[in-house]
Amino acid sequence: KNEVEQSPQNLTAQEGEFITINCSYSVGISALHWLQQHPGGGIVSLFMLSSGKKKHGRLTATINIQEKHSSLHITASHPRDSAVYICAVMVGGAQKLVFGQGTRLTINP
Amino acid sequence: SQTIHQWPATLVQPVGSPLSLECTVEGTSNPNLYWYRQAAGRGLQLLFYSVGIGQISSEVPQNLSASRPQDRQFILSSKKLLLSDSGFYLCAWARLVTEAFFGQGTRLTVV
């Protein structure tokens, strides 16, 4: 079983819809990252969380340490939000950064 | 500011040839460094990580090796490439509770 599981694997929605991507992990972590990967492969860091909630523009990320679960929310989605969204966790003891499989998001106009 | 450099961006190599991909970090010291591979249509798989000079942890047995000869330099190597080594290779650095930084990636095609 992967240490980091994301759902859904693929998500298609209409412009304006509220989007939620989920991430569950099975190990002790020191931090959780939400990342965005565009078709060329480049990766952009969106959020780093160790507790609570962070918001940047239309994006919000939350983490529940007890439940080992995090969510990424996008409000008023737009076609330019189309990308692969990746959850990655820093495994505390080993200091290794492990990626989920990613969620491919497509927003149609 | 912290930056990470990875090169080359694309590479086409024949089967059986050697490989050396280099990643260097600026603006920080003693970073944790990571190498990942992404096969077509798949997620990013952790290959190697290093928490210090000369310290390498391998996650997946394979045809590759990694070295960290200097604090801010991480090298991914192979003595003889296989077709299955084709993919997108990504270098990253992070610490326990800090932001993660990523290189631009190297798209390797073994022919």
Side-chain angles (χ1 to χ4, degrees), chain A residues 18-94:
Chain A
F18 180 78
I19 302 298
T20 296
I21 299 171
N22 296 299
C23 175
S24 296
Y25 53 93
S26 59
V27 293
I29 69 169
S30 58
L32 182 143
H33 301 261
W34 280 104
L35 312 164
Q36 183 187 56
Q37 185 176 31
H38 283 280
I43 289 184
V44 174
S45 178
L46 299 175
F47 296 104
M48 190 280 292
L49 296 161
S50 53
S51 64
K53 177 179 175 178
K54 286 190 177 178
K55 180 176 167 63
H56 181 70
R58 295 180 295 107
L59 274 62
T60 302
T62 63
I63 187 169
N64 185 317
I65 298 293
Q66 287 73 30
E67 295 186 2
K68 296 187 174 179
H69 181 269
S70 176
S71 294
L72 177 69
H73 305 285
I74 305 175
T75 58
S77 59
H78 190 276
R80 65 174 174 268
D81 296 326
S82 298
V84 175
Y85 291 83
I86 303 171
C87 169
V89 299
M90 176 64 80
V91 180

